[in-house]
Each structure stands twice: as structure tokens, then as C-alpha cells.
Amino acid sequence: MSCANIVNSMNDSNTNGSTTVEKVNASLKRRYARERRFRRMGLSAVMLGLAFVSLLFLSIIGNGYSAFQQTKVRLAISFDEQLLDPSGERNPKVLSSADYNGLIKNALRQAFPAVQSRQDKKELYRLISNGGSFRLREMVLDDPAIIGTTRDVWLSADDDIDMLVKGHIDRNLTEDDRRVKDSVIAWIDQLDQQGAVDLAFNAGFFTSGDSREPEQAGIGGAIMGSIYTLLVTLVLSFPIGVAAAIYLEEFAPQNRWTDLIEVNINNLAAVPSIVFGLLGLAVFINFFGLPRSAPLVGGLVLTLMTLPTIIIASRAALKSVPPSIREAALGIGASRMQMVFHHVMPLAMPGMLTGTIIGMAQALGESAPLLMIGMVAFIVDIPGGPLDPSTVLPVQIFLWADSPERAFVERTSAAIMVLLGFLIVMNLLAVILRKRFERRW
Amino acid sequence: MLTEITTLNQREAGAMGHSAILRDGANKVKPGAGEFAGTVGKITLADPRMSARNVDVFYGDKHAIQNVSLDIGKNEVISMIGPSGCGKSTFLRCFNRMNDTIDSCRVTGEITLDGQDIYDKSKDVVPLRAQVGMVFQKPNPFPKSIYDNIAYGPRIHGLAEGRDEMDEIVESSLRRAGLWKEVKDRLDQPGTGLSGGQQQRLCIARAIAVSPEVILMDEPCSALDPIATAIIEELIDELRENFTIAIVTHSMQQAARVSQRTAYFHLGRLIEVGNTDDIFTHPRHKLTEDYITGRFG
């Protein structure tokens, strides 16, 4: 081959090459444009999601933060012996049934001597929550020596007053359009000028049970109910779920039956939760005769609901343990059970725990199945055990969201904040446990 | 003709009893490629540690091992070579019933350890695996401390009474595996933190800690660098004093270096078996010759 030929052929390849490069370059712009478009779309999807989440949080926090404070009114209560204990015997029975409301009424009349008409007095007495009398009774029973003295006591205001002080009632509306009369506003302003109105931390919101009166209503009962329910759920669903997963993954033969079981477990995970509630009603309450509204039954129902989640997560965790570890254990003469419990389970534990906590978080936020077994009842007492009637946080939110009083709106949002707080803590716990127990192999 | 040259077809041989297999034709005639008329070479030994007779292995419908018979002698290293997928690992795993863990796997035929059938219904697999240890292709230490890796076997079998005895077992196992000097100061550190070669020696130490009679090694050096490989090969030579070793390897050089006998597998059949030197210098079967001369595989 001559030199010229070689040069020619090189030229050929050159021209070929340059056209390839040109073609690539021509399409390059389009390819990059497409990529940019896709990235923009993804980014805007993320932004949209974030925007909705922050909107949700803003609206909940904006509505609910004021529920953590409660309007208190200072009154000079004179613990009148004549009214409380005319006999002077300090008999606890007499003291506990005395007319403490009378004390409050006296104090109010003294603070506003100008109020004379029966109608106005009635309005005046409604400034203070009727929970105030319980507070005074407690004080007297704690220390009967205060009878006969006069003390300044901070008492919770009625929910309408609370709303007024927090600015949720518009003073510019005409009297007929708002829940608080002009005269009441004038009294409150007068008290305020004396420094007798204050916003204090609302500890009662976390400790008391439900109430028809918003200023006395709290989530204490619902939190205890949720704790008992989740405890029952955890105690039942973790061992059952993990045992089922281990059996299916490590011991069961691979045949048509285990396939059928696997399909059904996956189906069970997709069953609407209210169906589990109906099942619980039919089986646990009607057939076994367990008490209605009890956290025990709630826990049983939620166990049924979370079992598939835990089984599926635990099986995935077991599957992810490398077969080499199993072979190593078997190869040295470990029995199957020793292999599973000494080597496979410790490695699968983080995944199992994560699955369990996610299942628990689901159960904590579940309300529909619990409606069916009567945990939606109005229960004032704080449950003392898993057999006492109670409600749970999400159902409490559902109940309050249904109430017409303006003060329940902020309490609904506050309860949602508490529930979200618990969920965030549980998810954090899942992440921490996974990180802590994670071992490399 | 061919039946005279090599051993009998082994199904017939099995029917006739073991004496028929003993007919070892010392003939130089090589069967053509693809022809198989029974294993070439002497498959039986006078005093075997383990022996397999007419072993077939099925994975579902796949016939992975076809009618293989082979003896493994005392204190010898026997290597099993062959192209990928020839079934040498599958055959090895029959000796400690590791194939039991695979649901679709079925083993027929007879394998004995010191004269006892290991697939007998009365034979428990746990003591068998304590007698026949295994080292795997990929080093697989437990994600536990080096000490616990070694101590696990003796602990579950109850071989040590008290902490001192256990310490002794751990030390002697690590010494025999040539790892003691390197790890004696960090026995409490995870075994997974060692280098690849050290991990494999840890696995060998773990296997010998329960003092088995036989150690099966399934390509123990395939994940290691040449230096680590050389160390392990030396170790295998030393271990021969106390143990019987069956090693599967894809490296013919390794087979030549470490083993006294070599078995060549092809497509699920045992083609030829014999002294390692003979196999590599004078292969008698065409398939063996093709493989060791590098014509395929």
C-alpha cells in the first residue's frame, strides 16, 4: 500500500469521524435540554410536596399553639367558714361537699359590686370556668387551715373568655354577632387593668381527660389510652410477627401452601383498617365478650392490622442476611435453630425493629378500626389499665373536630401537634435503632 | 472394547459389587472427546476415610452429578478440578450434606464416613458437620470478635469446659492456621476487620477448632491475592498431618501444588482420577488432556 493510499484512507476515516462528532454534537443540545427539563420537573415536584407539608404544619401550629396557654383570672376568694363548714368540725365529708361555687360567686360579686340585675349576675358568674370550684375544694382539703382567710387565687376563665383574651373573638363585630356581650368585655378589660387576667401554661391540657367544657378538656386520657393500646399491640404483634417471619423464611418448606400463606399475608396488609374494626367487634367483643372501649380490644385489633407489616419487614430483613453467614454456621455444625438465633436474627434485628416501629406508628395514628369497637365514646376518666374504657389520640382529635365550640378548634390542632410529635419521635427512634444495631459483614 | 480398557460402566459395576470397580486398566488408549465410558483411574482405596458410591445429585430436573464414585483417603489432600459448572462443588458439598439446605436438591447413592452411611436416616447432620468441616469460597467470618469466631463451634458442641480450655482451643486453632501471631493482641476485635487472606485463615481455624476428621475446601483461594494464596497452600500442606482434605479448585497449578490425588470432573461426571503427578503428566482420558493442556475450560 502506498503512502498516498494510507493518507487517503485516513482522510476518509477523518471525514467519517467528523460527521459522527457533528451528529453527536447536534443531538447533544437536545439531550441536555431534556435532562434539564426532567431535573426541573423533579425539583418542582419536591418543592410542591414541601410546600404542602409546610402549609399543613403552619396551619396546624398556627391554629393550635394557643391551646398550650390558658387564660387565668385572679380572684380574692374568702374561704367563708359559714359557707363551707358551719359546724366547725372540719369533717372531710362536709368539706368535700360544700358549696365552693358560692365562694367564687361571692368573690365575683365583690369584685364587681355594680352588677345588680339577676341577668347580669348570671353573666358575671360565667366568667369563671365551673372547674374552678374543684380547684378550691382541693385547696381546702389539702389545707383546712385556710378556712376563714382570704386568698388571691388564679382560676381558669371560661372558654369564651379564653377565646376573647387570645383574640379569637372579634371585638369589632356587633354584640349580636359574637358570643361575648359588651358588658362581659368591659368586665374583662377592667380585670385586665387590675392585672388580674393572665395567660399561663396550660398543664391541664396534658393531664386531664376529656370534658364538655373546652377549658377543662385535655388529652391526658387519650394519651394513656394510646399508650395502653400500643403496649398491647407491641407485646402481641412483635413476637408473633417475628416468629411468623422466621418460620416462613427459615424453616417452612417452599411449596404451594407457603406460597398461599405469603400471598394472603400480602393481601392482609392491603385490607382497609375499618374491616379489622368490624372483625374485632364481631370476634373479641361479641364472641369472646371482652369489654367495649377497652385498650385491650383496641390493641388486639391493631395487632391484626400491624402483623402483616411486621411480618413483611422482618422477612425482608431475614432475606437480606447473606447466605454465606448461614453456610458458615451450618458448616461448623450449628443446628438450624442455632444458626437462626445466633447469627441470622442479630443481623436482621435492625430491619425487624424498624418494621415494628413503623407498624407501631401506623397503629398510633389509626382511628377507623377503633371507632368500631367503641373507643369513640365520651370518656372523662383517665384509664388506669388496659381494661378501663378509654379513647386514643386520633379518636380524641376526631371527637374534638366534631365539636362546635371555638375553643375546641385550637385544642384539636394542639392534639394533632402532640400526635405528630409522638410519630416523629417514633420514626426517629427507628432511624436511631437501625443505625445503632447495624453491623457490617 | 472400552469396558476392557477402562473400568466398567459404573451402574453395572455397582450391581456387580465393588470388586468390579477395582479393575484398573493401565492402558494408554485414550477415548475420544465426549465419549464417556466410566471413570478412568483407580477410584477406590484400601483404607478410605470417606467414600462415595454411585452418587447422583439433582437440582429439580437438572441432573448435576451423574453416578460418581470416589474414595477419599486418610491424611491425603485430594483436589477436584474441572471447568465451571462441572459439578465439582456440588459433589464436595455432598460430603457434609450442605446440599440439604437447598430445597430442590436431591442426592441419591451412598456416601460413608469411616464406614457409616452419612445419608442414613438415623445419622444426624449436626455431628456429621462437626466431623466434616468446611471452608467456603468467600471468606465468611461471623460479624463477631475473632475469639468468638473460633469459640463458636466448640461452644455449641460443648467441647470446652471452662474459660481456660476454650482459650486453649482458640489459641491452638489459630496457631495451626498460622494466624496466632498476627491476631493474638486483638482477639476481641471483629473478624470481619481482617484482610481477605487472614479472614480465610480465620475460617480455616474456625473449622479445625471443632477438630473434624475431614475438611472440605470449596475454592478457598479464589478470592485471594497470590501471596495470601501461597500462605494458605502451605497451610493446607501442614494440615494434612492431622486432617483429610478435599479441595475444589479452578486453578490447575494449585491442584498440582497441594494435592496428592486429583479428580477431573466434566459435565457432572467424574472423568478421571489418579495421582496428581500422573494426571498432569500423563492424562489418560482425552477430556482430561484437553483440559489440562488448556484446549478448553
Side-chain angles (χ1 to χ4, degrees):
Chain A
M1 202 190 269
S2 72
C3 268
N5 266 343
I6 292 170
V7 169
N8 251 344
S9 71
M10 274 174 72
N11 276 348
D12 274 0
S13 71
N14 262 352
T15 50
N16 277 342
S18 65
T19 53
T20 314
V21 169
E22 272 166 25
K23 276 180 187 164
V24 169
N25 281 340
S27 72
L28 216 51
K29 226 182 201 171
R30 238 177 342 156
R31 281 196 248 174
Y32 283 139
R34 200 173 287 168
E35 191 174 320
R36 270 196 303 275
R37 227 176 307 141
F38 185 77
R39 264 159 58 176
R40 269 202 296 273
M41 261 156 61
L43 196 65
S44 51
V46 170
M47 296 301 253
L48 202 67
L50 278 180
F52 276 115
V53 168
S54 41
L55 198 69
L56 175 88
F57 273 86
L58 274 179
S59 102
I60 289 172
I61 293 172
N63 268 324
Y65 78 96
S66 52
F68 296 119
Q69 290 190 316
Q70 170 72 36
T71 307
K72 303 268 182 182
V73 176
R74 189 185 64 206
L75 284 179
I77 305 277
S78 68
F79 292 92
D80 189 355
E81 183 160 17
Q82 212 51 37
L83 203 62
L84 295 177
D85 191 16
S87 62
E89 282 171 354
R90 300 291 186 264
N91 185 346
K93 237 180 206 167
V94 176
L95 286 182
S96 69
S97 60
D99 178 18
Y100 293 97
N101 243 336
L103 295 184
I104 297 172
K105 285 177 183 170
N106 285 344
L108 282 167
R109 275 201 304 274
Q110 263 173 10
F112 298 98
V115 178
Q116 288 299 331
S117 80
R118 209 178 135 74
Q119 192 68 33
D120 285 350
K121 272 183 187 168
K122 240 184 175 173
E123 285 292 332
L124 182 63
Y125 297 154
R126 281 175 49 192
L127 285 184
I128 299 298
S129 160
N130 59 12
S133 58
F134 300 116
R135 172 84 204 287
L136 295 182
R137 188 175 69 179
E138 262 171 47
M139 286 173 72
V140 170
L141 288 176
D142 273 359
D143 180 16
I146 61 171
I147 293 176
T149 62
T150 299
R151 299 273 174 106
D152 276 349
V153 182
W154 287 95
L155 292 171
S156 290
D158 186 63
D159 60 308
D160 283 337
I161 309 304
D162 190 33
M163 291 297 102
L164 179 75
V165 171
K166 284 174 182 169
H168 293 316
I169 289 176
D170 190 356
R171 288 167 184 245
N172 299 325
L173 290 173
T174 57
E175 193 173 10
D176 294 340
D177 285 343
R178 65 174 126 77
R179 280 182 65 83
V180 184
K181 289 192 173 166
D182 287 342
S183 54
V184 176
I185 294 180
W187 295 331
I188 287 296
D189 287 346
Q190 192 191 327
L191 283 170
D192 203 10
Q193 273 163 12
Q194 296 164 4
V197 176
D198 192 23
L199 279 172
F201 177 68
N202 188 4
F205 181 70
F206 296 99
T207 54
S208 32
D210 198 6
S211 170
R212 294 282 182 231
E213 303 295 331
E215 75 275 3
Q216 292 176 48
I219 53 171
I223 287 179
M224 286 316 285
S226 275
I227 288 175
Y228 284 126
T229 309
L230 279 192
L231 230 96
V232 172
T233 310
L234 182 69
V235 164
L236 290 173
S237 64
F238 182 66
I240 296 176
V242 169
I246 287 177
Y247 177 75
L248 286 174
E249 202 52 51
E250 304 288 341
F251 294 98
Q254 286 293 312
N255 59 26
R256 213 173 299 162
W257 287 110
T258 45
D259 283 352
L260 193 74
I261 289 172
E262 185 168 354
V263 168
N264 276 306
I265 286 172
N266 291 339
N267 281 342
L268 219 54
V271 169
S273 56
I274 195 148
V275 176
F276 287 110
L278 280 169
L279 180 103
L281 176 64
V283 176
F284 299 128
I285 293 180
N286 288 347
F287 186 74
F288 287 112
L290 291 174
R292 245 162 244 278
S293 311
L296 175 67
V297 181
L300 285 169
V301 168
L302 293 179
T303 299
L304 292 179
M305 210 195 74
T306 45
L307 261 182
T309 314
I310 294 179
I311 293 176
I312 291 169
S314 300
R315 288 189 70 176
L318 288 169
K319 255 190 204 129
S320 72
V321 175
S324 64
I325 296 291
R326 291 163 217 265
E327 285 192 330
L330 290 178
I332 161 165
S335 68
R336 233 168 190 199
M337 191 153 150
Q338 284 171 329
M339 169 195 88
V340 171
F341 284 93
H342 294 166
H343 300 287
V344 178
M345 222 171 76
L347 292 175
M349 225 0 137
M352 289 178 172
L353 288 178
T354 310
T356 307
I357 290 175
I358 287 171
M360 287 296 116
Q362 254 176 30
L364 175 65
E366 198 57 66
S367 57
L370 303 179
L371 302 183
M372 305 309 298
I373 57 158
M375 292 190 93
V376 73
F378 172 74
I379 289 149
V380 178
D381 294 327
I382 292 172
L387 284 170
D388 289 354
S390 77
T391 185
V392 292
L393 266 175
V395 177
Q396 186 67 74
I397 290 165
F398 167 78
L399 281 170
W400 282 351
D402 240 13
S403 304
E405 286 90 347
R406 176 64 181 80
F408 273 126
V409 174
E410 63 171 28
R411 278 175 162 71
T412 307
S413 297
I416 292 173
M417 281 158 72
V418 172
L419 180 62
L420 287 178
F422 274 117
L423 289 174
I424 289 170
V425 167
M426 285 176 86
N427 283 331
L428 261 177
L429 202 69
V431 172
I432 290 168
L433 279 176
R434 193 166 45 206
K435 283 265 178 293
R436 223 184 119 63
F437 282 98
E438 213 159 49
R439 279 196 270 184
R440 252 168 273 166
W441 49 73
Chain B
M1 261 306 274
L2 280 172
T3 47
E4 275 176 32
I5 296 161
T6 66
T7 54
L8 287 169
N9 181 305
Q10 284 172 13
R11 278 187 198 283
E12 294 165 27
M16 288 181 203
H18 289 174
S19 58
I21 309 168
L22 283 166
R23 280 166 57 181
D24 183 11
N27 214 303
K28 295 284 182 248
V29 178
K30 285 174 184 161
E35 283 179 56
F36 179 75
T39 305
V40 182
K42 196 175 148 196
I43 57 171
T44 57
L45 296 170
D47 186 19
R49 174 70 77 191
M50 297 194 83
S51 67
R53 287 291 173 270
N54 309 99
V55 171
D56 285 83
V57 180
F58 302 88
Y59 289 119
D61 295 333
K62 197 176 163 250
H63 200 168
I65 293 287
Q66 298 174 29
N67 197 27
V68 171
S69 300
L70 183 65
D71 277 359
I72 299 175
K74 286 178 180 153
N75 296 55
E76 74 164 351
V77 177
I78 180 166
S79 60
M80 303 178 187
I81 60 169
S84 303
C86 68
K88 52 193 191 292
S89 287
T90 301
F91 184 63
L92 187 78
R93 291 163 66 99
C94 292
F95 285 101
N96 68 345
R97 292 179 55 178
M98 265 329 252
N99 287 330
D100 288 13
T101 56
I102 301 162
D103 271 338
S104 63
C105 184
R106 200 157 52 81
V107 180
T108 64
E110 188 190 56
I111 297 178
T112 58
L113 170 66
D114 297 328
Q116 283 183 314
D117 186 1
I118 63 167
Y119 278 89
D120 193 69
K121 281 211 178 80
S122 63
K123 181 78 179 168
D124 196 344
V125 72
V126 167
L128 168 72
R129 288 186 187 142
Q131 286 169 289
V132 184
M134 189 151 192
V135 176
F136 296 88
Q137 184 168 5
K138 224 182 95 200
N140 55 357
F142 300 128
K144 299 175 190 278
S145 71
I146 293 170
Y147 185 95
D148 285 338
N149 261 285
I150 309 293
Y152 182 69
R155 195 174 291 148
I156 58 171
H157 296 305
L159 299 184
E161 278 174 28
R163 180 87 196 177
D164 292 344
E165 214 171 314
M166 186 63 87
D167 289 349
E168 218 171 276
I169 291 179
V170 170
E171 185 179 337
S172 71
S173 305
L174 283 169
R175 272 190 201 284
R176 275 152 122 185
L179 198 60
W180 176 250
K181 275 185 200 150
E182 292 158 62
V183 301
K184 67 177 175 203
D185 298 324
R186 44 174 178 155
L187 290 175
D188 55 340
Q189 282 175 27
T192 41
L194 298 171
S195 74
Q198 287 174 325
Q199 284 189 20
Q200 195 62 298
R201 275 182 283 153
L202 180 66
C203 293
I204 293 174
R206 183 176 66 189
I208 58 184
V210 293
S211 23
E213 295 170 28
V214 183
I215 303 174
L216 308 174
M217 297 188 175
D218 189 358
E219 302 194 24
C221 301
S222 64
L224 304 183
D225 63 81
I227 293 168
T229 303
I231 294 172
I232 301 237
E233 284 178 5
E234 259 173 55
L235 177 61
I236 291 172
D237 213 40
E238 286 164 23
L239 290 174
R240 185 159 66 90
E241 276 180 38
N242 300 305
F243 305 99
T244 297
I245 296 171
I247 177 169
V248 161
T249 173
H250 61 253
S251 154
M252 283 178 281
Q253 292 85 347
Q254 185 171 60
R257 282 193 297 260
V258 300
S259 67
Q260 286 76 54
R261 284 167 77 225
T262 296
Y264 172 67
F265 286 78
H266 184 81
L267 293 177
R269 289 193 165 100
L270 176 57
I271 304 296
E272 184 169 348
V273 62
N275 289 336
T276 301
D277 294 343
D278 297 338
I279 292 268
F280 283 104
T281 50
H282 310 293
R284 282 163 30 199
H285 197 286
K286 183 85 171 52
L287 285 167
T288 319
E289 187 184 357
D290 286 352
Y291 182 69
I292 62 173
T293 53
R295 246 167 273 173
F296 83 99

